[in-house]
Amino acid sequence: MLEVKEVTTEYSGMKALHGVSMTLREDEFVSIVGPNGAGKSTLLKTISGTAKVSSGEIYFTGTDITHMKAYKRTGLGIIHIPEGRRVFPSLTVLENLEIGAYRPEARDSVDKNLETVLNIFPVLKKRSKQPAGTLSGGEQQMLAIGRGLMSMPRFLMLDEPSLGLSPVMADLIFETIMNIRQRLKFSILLVEQRAVEALEFCDRAYILESGKITMSGDRATLVGNPMIQKAYLGTM
Ligand SMILES: Nc1ncnc2c1ncn2[C@@H]1O[C@H](COP(=O)(O)OP(=O)(O)O)[C@@H](O)[C@H]1O
Ligand SMILES: [Mg+2]
């Protein structure tokens, strides 16, 4: 469904991605793991169209989207939940969710999608009339994910949803992502520094270091790899 071919992305001449290639199939859950500054966010921005490709190609369901405008990619169902759980703090939880439903496909079924999202996140139902700025960090992350779900993604990209959260709250977020995956059918690309969790839940993963993919494989292969265990899982 997604094919990233030899993509290089740079910021004012400085390369952040060096010829990155990766794929993701329909309904697959793929994680990208790598240290701070590896280029994880840049990869998601490049796929969603908020960072410009300097060479290489990106295909989504067979369509060349390499130079497509970001809003058109959203129209295709590519939903990017960026780092830092951005919500509109002065709008209520409900208003934030309604804003998420801007894809034409989603506009016709706002009520149904709202019901689904509030079922997945009961805490958002409880706080629906509260300004989003008054939610805790974990609740704001749930709201950011819920808003993404309101646009009925075909392909959801999550950038470090656990960043800055307590271990308990981070676990809850990962469990919720699994729950969403079981209920709704779409592909997920998760970017994380927390390798243990990101590898635990995915089907397949890529290791991104200094803008390059250094390793890839299915979950079991990576978890069983001594180099991964030493560098990322702290088990050796
Ligand atoms: N807007 C930007 N302008 C210039 N350099 C950037 C920008 N965003 C990221 N970078 C640089 O690109 C590299 C990769 O960053 P990023 O994709 O944010 O990594 P990660 O998400 O893995 O922490 C880093 O060296 C970072 O400093
Ligand atoms: Mg990042």
Side-chain angles (χ1 to χ4, degrees):
M1 139 175 276
L2 176 77
E3 202 175 344
V4 174
K5 284 184 168 173
E6 292 287 324
V7 160
T8 293
T9 302
E10 44 194 85
Y11 297 108
S12 349
M14 289 277 287
K15 283 184 184 157
L17 296 179
H18 304 258
V20 167
S21 297
M22 61 152 301
T23 59
L24 177 139
R25 290 187 289 270
E26 197 92 35
D27 300 332
E28 201 177 22
F29 183 166
V30 171
S31 289
I32 308 276
V33 173
N36 195 16
K40 302 183 299 299
S41 296
T42 301
L43 177 59
L44 295 198
K45 287 183 201 162
T46 305
I47 296 170
S48 67
T50 47
K52 257 177 80 179
V53 170
S54 45
S55 67
E57 292 161 351
I58 308 174
Y59 292 88
F60 182 69
T61 59
T63 305
D64 185 347
I65 61 163
T66 316
H67 302 292
M68 190 183 269
K69 292 221 161 37
Y71 78 91
K72 287 198 172 158
R73 301 188 204 199
T74 308
L76 295 178
I78 300 176
I79 305 298
H80 178 193
I81 300 176
E83 212 170 35
R85 38 184 175 277
R86 290 178 210 154
V87 298
F88 298 101
S90 58
L91 298 185
T92 66
V93 167
L94 200 58
E95 286 164 344
N96 267 275
L97 289 173
E98 283 164 356
I99 285 173
Y102 52 82
R103 276 184 78 209
E105 290 84 344
R107 254 177 254 145
D108 298 335
S109 44
V110 175
D111 292 343
K112 189 172 140 267
N113 296 335
L114 193 58
E115 197 186 318
T116 308
V117 169
L118 295 179
N119 266 322
I120 293 171
F121 301 105
V123 67
L124 297 183
K125 194 173 196 169
K126 225 164 63 191
R127 309 206 180 285
S128 62
K129 302 214 164 56
Q130 221 169 292
T134 64
L135 301 179
S136 73
E139 289 165 351
Q140 288 191 20
Q141 184 62 65
M142 292 181 197
L143 180 55
I145 297 173
R147 198 174 63 198
L149 297 180
M150 287 298 288
S151 53
M152 299 173 75
R154 287 187 70 184
F155 170 41
L156 184 71
M157 294 192 279
L158 295 152
D159 193 344
E160 300 216 41
S162 75
L163 194 72
L165 299 182
S166 70
V168 173
M169 192 45 83
D171 282 350
L172 185 62
I173 295 286
F174 286 117
E175 275 165 32
T176 309
I177 294 169
M178 285 315 286
N179 180 2
I180 291 168
R181 200 203 172 190
Q182 278 153 10
R183 284 192 195 208
L184 311 169
K185 281 224 154 250
F186 51 75
S187 313
I188 298 179
L189 184 59
L190 170 72
V191 151
E192 264 297 335
Q193 269 190 73
R194 288 196 204 219
V196 176
E197 291 86 351
L199 290 178
E200 181 180 346
F201 296 118
C202 70
D203 299 319
R204 225 153 41 79
Y206 292 85
I207 309 296
L208 184 67
E209 290 167 329
S210 309
K212 292 183 183 135
I213 302 285
T214 52
M215 222 179 285
S216 67
D218 62 25
R219 194 177 57 78
T221 309
L222 288 179
V223 170
N225 183 303
M227 261 158 63
I228 302 284
Q229 289 176 358
K230 187 155 182 271
Y232 291 100
L233 304 176
T235 51
M236 277 186 85

